Amino acid sequence: MVTKSEETELSRLESQVDNGGGGAWEYLCLVRKLKVRRSDKVLKHGLSILNDSKKRSSLGSEEWTLYEEVAIAAMDCQSLEVAKDCVNVLRKKFPESKRVGRLEALLLEAKGSWGEAEKAYSSLLEDNPFDQVVHKRRVALAKAQGNLSGAIEWLNKYLETFMADHDAWRELAEIYVSLQMYKQAAFCYEELILSQPTVPLFHLAYADVLYTLGGLENLQTARKYYSSTIDLTGGKNTRALFGICLCTSAIAQFSKGRNKEDKDCPDLQSLATAALEKEYKQRASGKLTVLTSAFKSLKVSS
């Protein structure tokens, strides 16, 4: 995550370079260090260095890193001829490089040559089955074609080897949700909570999925995870507070007050509604009547 001071420095350098004050290389280095996407700027200022033989030669071995950065930025900006020229320079310098091979496959993607790109990635994986970047590019390739079932297949295959990749589990969960495959999404969020139990986002997403699935047991579990989200965020998560109210209302319809386990439900609901009222009074007092109306429709007391 980029800190405020780093963002300030990046903006300062960007303004300086854009206004002809120099520092293009320092700016490009900072962009790379912070891993931010500034494709148009990288393309513009990177080319200004690469097209100047004196500046280019002063970079030493970093010249090839810059060629790679400019190639990727050019693909982002659909300047495919520039990207092709950069990749060709790198291929000439590193004829056996798998890293350059990935760039060539990326260029095929950018051109929309899906079949050729898939063949290129398959070839790279034959040489190195543990190349995470290539595995993820295959997923991206499937998603770019609207082939979500293919993306699910590649992600599941990837996770058989790289089970600790939280981003992959989350992406798989989000694809399942988009396809209304909620039980499968729930499994993904369970894996995420097991590996990162203190991340409130995963508790919240899991609760949302369980609430969507419905049924008394799922609703009771969803309420628990909305509660844990509130606990992990110090009571600051408005969505989770609403989740408590929604679950309370739905559980009441199922159990009709007879379920012993739900004796604490009114107290929990009262805490949630009180917290929501306080939040609305502070931040959106004009919508307090809408909140009260919502409580009445859910048959929860404020």
Side-chain angles (χ1 to χ4, degrees):
M1 183 178 289
V2 180
T3 66
K4 189 174 181 179
S5 60
E6 289 172 333
E7 182 65 37
T8 300
E9 177 63 12
L10 184 64
S11 297
R12 184 191 68 78
L13 271 175
E14 188 171 290
S15 176
Q16 176 182 305
V17 177
D18 285 344
N19 291 306
W25 176 243
E26 289 76 9
Y27 170 73
L28 293 170
C29 287
L30 186 58
V31 167
R32 182 168 75 244
K33 177 186 173 183
L34 300 181
K35 297 180 180 179
V36 294
R37 210 68 175 246
R38 296 286 195 278
S39 299
D40 56 335
K41 304 292 184 182
V42 171
L43 178 59
K44 178 183 176 181
H45 302 307
L47 278 177
S48 71
I49 294 174
L50 292 177
N51 290 333
D52 187 318
S53 58
K54 187 177 179 180
K55 291 180 180 178
R56 187 175 69 242
S57 60
S58 68
L59 299 179
S61 60
E62 291 284 357
E63 173 186 349
W64 314 114
T65 303
L66 183 56
Y67 268 112
E68 181 182 41
E69 289 178 333
V70 171
I72 294 171
M75 292 180 214
D76 282 348
C77 298
Q78 280 296 297
S79 298
L80 300 185
E81 285 302 315
V82 173
K84 181 181 177 181
D85 291 341
C86 291
V87 171
N88 286 340
V89 170
L90 289 168
R91 175 53 74 194
K92 186 176 180 180
K93 176 66 178 178
F94 307 102
E96 303 299 324
S97 171
K98 303 302 178 186
R99 186 164 171 171
V100 177
R102 289 202 298 262
L103 283 176
E104 290 172 333
L106 272 174
L107 184 56
L108 290 170
E109 274 193 74
K111 291 177 178 178
S113 302
W114 312 121
E116 291 181 55
E118 172 59 33
K119 288 179 183 178
Y121 288 134
S122 297
S123 176
L124 288 167
L125 285 175
E126 285 178 9
D127 294 331
N128 180 11
F130 302 106
D131 191 325
Q132 289 180 271
V133 173
V134 174
H135 277 289
K136 290 182 177 183
R137 286 316 312 167
R138 290 180 100 179
V139 174
L141 186 63
K143 288 178 71 176
Q145 298 174 82
N147 181 13
L148 294 184
S149 60
I152 289 172
E153 180 184 348
W154 292 126
L155 272 170
N156 276 308
K157 187 174 181 180
Y158 170 80
L159 285 166
E160 288 175 6
T161 305
F162 304 100
M163 291 176 284
D165 191 326
H166 308 128
D167 290 334
W169 279 113
R170 185 178 174 188
E171 182 170 8
L172 182 58
E174 289 174 354
I175 293 175
Y176 279 138
V177 168
S178 73
L179 296 174
Q180 300 180 15
M181 299 171 70
Y182 298 115
K183 289 183 179 180
Q184 292 86 340
F187 176 81
C188 295
Y189 285 122
E190 286 165 2
E191 289 288 331
L192 285 165
I193 291 170
L194 281 170
S195 60
Q196 291 189 303
T198 59
V199 179
L201 177 64
F202 300 152
H203 289 248
L204 180 62
Y206 183 49
D208 284 344
V209 168
L210 291 174
Y211 177 80
T212 304
L213 280 169
L216 182 57
E217 186 178 345
N218 285 329
L219 289 167
Q220 289 170 339
T221 307
R223 189 180 63 199
K224 291 176 182 178
Y225 280 90
Y226 281 128
S227 299
S228 64
T229 303
I230 294 167
D231 187 41
L232 289 167
T233 57
K236 300 296 184 182
N237 194 294
T238 303
R239 186 183 181 91
L241 290 168
F242 272 115
I244 293 289
C245 296
L246 289 167
C247 287
T248 299
S249 177
I251 289 170
Q253 293 177 38
F254 271 101
S255 63
K256 296 181 181 179
R258 295 194 298 268
N259 194 314
K260 185 178 179 181
E261 187 180 337
D262 288 310
K263 282 185 177 180
D264 294 332
C265 189
D267 293 335
L268 185 59
Q269 166 238 294
S270 296
L271 290 170
T273 54
L276 283 168
E277 284 183 333
K278 181 180 178 181
E279 185 78 7
Y280 270 69
K281 284 177 182 177
Q282 292 177 347
R283 298 177 180 272
S285 58
K287 295 186 178 180
L288 196 57
T289 54
V290 178
L291 180 68
T292 304
S293 176
F295 287 158
K296 287 180 179 178
S297 67
L298 292 172
K299 296 181 181 180
V300 298
S301 57
S302 58

